[in-house]
Amino acid sequence: MQLKRSFAQFNTDRVIASYFADNTILYGLDIGAVDGVFINNTYALEIEKEANILCIEANPIYQEPLTRNRKLPKLYAVGSENMDNVDFHVVKVHDHNNLSSVSALSIDLELLESHQKHYKISQYTEKVNVRTIDFILEEWNPVKLDLVSIDIEGTELAALSAWKSLDVYKPKLLVVEANSKKHEKLLVEFLQRKNYKLDNKIEVNLFFTYL
C-alpha cells in the first residue's frame, strides 16, 4: 500500500505501508505513540487506510492529546511485568516543541547527555501503571496482529523479551527503534531467535520481518 502523506520521522510510515497490500485490513500496536500525530509511525495508516492501531503512551505530557488524536489510546507504560504506581522519568525538552524523546521507565543516559548538549531540559518523575504486551493484547483481543511499532527509549528489548505470545501472534512486521549499536545488536540477536530477520534499517529504525 502507498500513503499520500507522511507524518513519521524518516518517512517510516511510508516504508511500513510498503510491506502491506492495498486491501489489507491492518491491525497494529504503536508502543510509545507520543501524541499520536507528530513524528508518529502509524497516524497516516489510520487516517488513510483505516488501520486499527492501538496506541500506547505512558508520558503524562502526551496522554490528553493522544486521547484526542487517536481512536484507540491506552495510557500505560510497557515493560517486562505488570506493576502499578511505578516511577516514570519525564524529561521535558524546552524550546523544542515540548516533545521529549528521552522520557522512559529507565533513562538512556547516553541519549540524555546528547540532549543536554543541545537543549535546556528539566526532569521529574510521575507514577504510572506498567503493563506487558501480553496483558495489553489480552485486554484488546484483536483478530490478528500485523504490525508492531515500538519506541520506548532503550527499554524496547525488555518489553519484547517478556512478550510470551509473540510466537502466537507472529506479526508480519516489527519496527523497533535502537539508539545505539549495542542496543541494535541485542535486538537483532533476540529477534533472530524468534524467527525474525532484520530486513531494513533507516537511521535508528529497524524493520524486522517474520521468516
Side-chain angles (χ1 to χ4, degrees), residues 28-119:
L29 287 178
D30 189 337
I31 302 172
V34 191
D35 71 351
V37 178
F38 184 72
I39 59 172
N40 182 271
N41 286 349
T42 63
Y43 182 59
L45 291 166
E46 182 172 294
I47 62 172
E48 291 188 25
K49 303 299 181 181
E50 298 184 352
N52 304 280
I53 307 293
L54 188 68
C55 296
I56 304 160
E57 177 58 48
N59 193 333
I61 293 173
Y62 309 133
Q63 289 182 355
E64 188 278 329
L66 177 65
T67 301
R68 182 179 65 248
N69 292 334
R70 300 299 293 266
K71 295 177 182 178
L72 298 172
K74 277 290 179 183
L75 309 180
Y76 294 136
V78 177
S80 58
E81 56 184 315
N82 299 317
M83 300 177 289
D84 292 340
N85 297 316
V86 176
D87 281 340
F88 182 85
H89 301 273
V90 179
V91 178
K92 191 173 182 180
V93 180
H94 300 274
D95 303 319
H96 186 57
N97 298 317
N98 199 30
L99 290 166
S100 167
S101 58
V102 188
S103 301
L105 286 171
S106 178
I107 289 291
D108 183 328
L109 293 179
E110 289 186 14
L111 192 60
L112 178 62
E113 290 175 4
S114 174
H115 275 64
Q116 287 174 326
K117 292 177 182 178
H118 298 95
Y119 308 112

Side-chain angles (χ1 to χ4, degrees), residues 115-133:
H115 275 64
Q116 287 174 326
K117 292 177 182 178
H118 298 95
Y119 308 112
K120 178 183 177 183
I121 67 172
S122 57
Q123 301 178 59
Y124 57 95
T125 60
E126 293 273 4
K127 295 295 185 182
V128 300
N129 294 334
V130 181
R131 296 293 182 264
T132 64
I133 298 175

